[in-house]
């Protein structure tokens, strides 16, 4: 927990935030961020985000640079409700029966089923030749990117996937533009690749969801709070075509993060065995806030949009989860004896189970 300084004032604890992508599920992340900002005991040093996580990152930075934590909370609220209002005009909506039953899945939506079929047999270059993207319009209206670029209080790192070489590209604070955010959120079966400096990019979730390695050399905080909105585990075997595709998406969009976890574990083992000189690496700690139980009933297709009702419902779950973690004092990561002279295996707590996590990498492009 944050400690009091000598004069009795509350001393904030520095943390880094890693925000995973997951479409409309990013509203859950909004709830986590709102609770952290409201609590006041944490100083956010850096944010690494992908897709919806990238949007939350730039919105938070915009509001924070303008009016501190309260400004960030207000900006996040306005942004997600703007998306909800914009979604009212979409043909992809829940059926009346689903609304009555409280079912958030779009599985029965005629609009979604039609769009799903179209996207399997034609590309966005065919069914959307003008590259119309309402989300881009909301982003431009709600976010001042000049203010984001001027934000010195929080370092921003957004991941996108280079289509040509398949590597992750990390965009930093001074590079923030609407195109950078849309590149991080560009699902190739829905949107045309976003070109930046002549290079096409797809969703960053394929290669960094989110990327943790930027923190190691660019921030001083030893703590990373990971907000993970793609379930890692499912207790049931998917059987229908839609269930299989949904599970494949979840596995795909968690793969890069799990690879980073394994890499830290590997390097740690080499150091512990004396096979690698660790030098003086900067090794942040971590704590994960993961809503696996909350999202177990939400299939991947609901990531395509945010209704106004969903924008009200989802952040509540994120806020409750963050609040539970804060109250229990579980936001702190403990690595070994807290030593900075080794790269330790990371311990995270996830649904009551302790598990070893790992991550590694460095450089702007990996």
């Amino acid at each position: 927990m944050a400690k009091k300084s000598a004069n009795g004032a509350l001393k904030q604890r520095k943390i880094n935030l890693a925000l995973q992508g997951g479409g409309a599920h990013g509203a859950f992340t909004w709830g986590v961020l709102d609770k952290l900002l409201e609590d006041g005991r944490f100083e956010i040093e850096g944010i690494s985000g992908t897709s919806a996580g990238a949007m939350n990152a730039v919105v938070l930075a915009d509001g924070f640079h303008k009016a501190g934590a309260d400004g960030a909370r207000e900006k996040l609220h306005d942004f997600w409700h703007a998306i909800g209002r914009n979604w009212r005009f979409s043909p992809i909506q829940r059926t009346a029966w689903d609304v009555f039953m409280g079912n958030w899945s779009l599985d029965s939506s005629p609009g979604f089923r039609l769009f799903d079929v179209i996207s399997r047999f034609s590309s966005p270059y065919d069914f959307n030749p003008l590259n119309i993207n309402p989300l881009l319009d909301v982003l431009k209206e709600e976010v001042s990117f000049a203010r984001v670029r001027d934000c010195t209080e929080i370092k921003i790192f957004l991941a996108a996937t280079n289509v040509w070489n398949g590597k992750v590209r990390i965009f930093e604070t001074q590079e923030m533009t609407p195109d950078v955010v849309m590149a991080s959120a560009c699902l190739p079966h829905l949107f045309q690749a976003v070109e930046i400096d002549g290079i096409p990019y797809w969703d960053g979730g394929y290669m960094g969801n989110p990327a943790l390695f930027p923190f190691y050399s660019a921030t001083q905080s030893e703590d990373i709070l990971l907000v993970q909105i793609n379930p890692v585990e499912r207790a049931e075997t998917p059987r229908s075509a839609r269930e299989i595709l949904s599970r494949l998406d979840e596995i795909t969009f968690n793969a890069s993060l799990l690879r980073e976890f394994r890499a830290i574990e590997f390097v740690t083992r080499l150091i512990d065995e004396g096979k690698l000189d660790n030098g003086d690496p900067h090794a942040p700690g971590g704590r994960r806030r993961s809503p696996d139980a909350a999202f177990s009933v939400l299939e991947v297709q609901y990531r395509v949009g945010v209704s106004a009702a969903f924008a009200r419902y989802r952040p509540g779950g994120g806020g409750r989860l963050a609040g539970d973690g804060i109250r229990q004092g579980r936001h702190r990561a403990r690595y070994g004896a807290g030593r900075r002279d080794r790269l330790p295996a990371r311990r995270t707590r996830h649904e009551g189970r302790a598990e070893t996590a790992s991550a590694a990498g460095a450089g702007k492009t990996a």
Side-chain angles (χ1 to χ4, degrees):
M1 284 292 180
K3 298 179 180 179
K4 288 187 177 181
S5 60
N7 61 7
L10 190 66
K11 184 179 180 180
Q12 290 183 314
R13 182 179 181 85
K14 281 188 177 183
I15 61 172
N16 293 312
L17 299 179
L19 310 181
Q20 196 173 49
H25 295 175
F28 182 98
T29 302
W30 160 33
V32 174
L33 298 177
D34 184 74
K35 182 61 66 174
L36 290 173
L37 292 164
E38 179 187 31
D39 185 85
R41 287 175 287 179
F42 307 97
E43 177 186 348
I44 302 171
E45 184 179 8
I47 305 177
S48 178
T50 298
S51 195
M55 295 181 192
N56 276 317
V58 297
V59 173
L60 187 153
D62 178 18
F64 195 93
H65 187 62
K66 180 181 180 181
D70 289 339
R73 295 181 66 199
E74 180 181 0
K75 202 68 178 178
L76 285 163
H77 173 277
D78 292 346
F79 175 76
W80 282 102
H81 280 269
I83 291 180
R85 290 192 302 271
N86 188 71
W87 192 256
R88 289 180 300 179
F89 305 103
S90 170
I92 303 176
Q93 302 285 349
R94 292 183 296 161
T95 64
W97 177 252
D98 285 332
V99 173
F100 177 76
M101 295 299 295
N103 179 18
W104 293 97
S105 173
L106 292 174
D107 191 51
S108 302
S109 168
F112 173 77
R113 286 176 173 267
L114 177 61
F115 184 76
D116 186 44
V117 171
I118 293 175
S119 65
R120 294 180 192 280
F121 291 96
S122 61
S123 83
Y125 295 89
D126 298 323
F127 63 74
N128 187 12
L130 298 180
N131 202 22
I132 297 172
N133 190 338
L135 185 57
L136 177 60
D137 297 333
V138 174
L139 201 62
K140 289 179 177 179
E141 291 173 3
E142 295 294 327
V143 179
S144 168
F145 281 88
R147 200 154 47 216
V148 174
R149 290 189 294 271
D150 290 339
C151 181
T152 57
E153 302 91 339
I154 301 173
K155 298 180 176 68
I156 304 296
F157 310 98
L158 304 188
T161 302
N162 185 316
V163 178
W164 288 347
N165 62 25
K167 295 182 178 180
V168 64
R169 164 74 190 277
I170 302 300
F171 294 91
E172 300 185 12
T173 309
Q174 64 275 13
E175 301 174 284
M176 292 300 109
T177 65
D179 281 345
V180 166
V181 178
M182 295 315 301
S184 182
C186 180
L187 291 171
H189 61 286
L190 298 180
F191 304 109
Q192 297 180 23
V194 178
E195 289 197 7
I196 300 175
D197 296 330
I199 300 175
Y201 292 95
W202 282 341
D203 196 295
Y206 296 111
M207 297 304 296
N209 193 24
L212 304 181
F213 65 82
F215 293 136
Y216 303 159
S217 59
T219 66
Q220 294 301 312
S221 174
E222 295 182 346
D223 290 325
I224 298 175
L225 182 105
L226 167 63
V227 184
Q228 188 171 6
I229 56 179
N230 287 298
V232 174
E233 299 178 8
R234 292 281 189 182
E236 300 177 352
T237 302
R239 299 187 181 279
S240 71
R242 196 175 303 280
E243 290 173 345
I244 292 171
L245 289 173
S246 176
R247 185 58 183 149
L248 281 173
D249 277 343
E250 290 173 350
I251 293 172
T252 299
F253 285 110
N254 278 319
S256 60
L257 181 64
L258 297 179
R259 280 197 299 271
E260 284 201 76
F261 285 171
R262 287 192 295 272
I264 276 189
E265 186 178 25
F266 175 67
V267 172
T268 300
R269 189 164 62 249
L270 293 180
I271 292 174
D272 290 342
E273 294 172 355
K275 298 178 180 178
L276 182 66
D277 181 11
N278 65 325
D280 185 23
H282 176 54
R287 177 65 62 222
R288 178 164 66 178
R289 295 284 87 199
S290 176
D292 276 12
F295 286 148
S296 63
V297 296
L298 292 173
E299 297 299 332
V300 71
Q301 68 264 22
Y302 205 80
R303 299 175 191 170
V304 298
V306 183
S307 67
F310 191 83
R312 292 192 298 269
Y313 166 73
R314 262 304 102 195
R320 285 190 297 272
L321 189 65
D324 289 344
I326 292 171
R327 283 191 295 273
Q328 296 172 23
R330 285 164 50 183
H331 64 283
R332 298 186 66 179
R334 301 185 182 276
Y335 285 27
R339 293 157 49 199
R340 290 282 299 274
D341 60 346
R342 64 189 292 272
L343 184 65
R346 195 181 86 167
R347 302 292 292 180
T348 66
R349 188 155 315 270
H350 174 221
E351 295 296 306
R353 299 185 300 276
E355 60 184 32
T356 299
S358 53
K364 193 171 183 180
T365 302

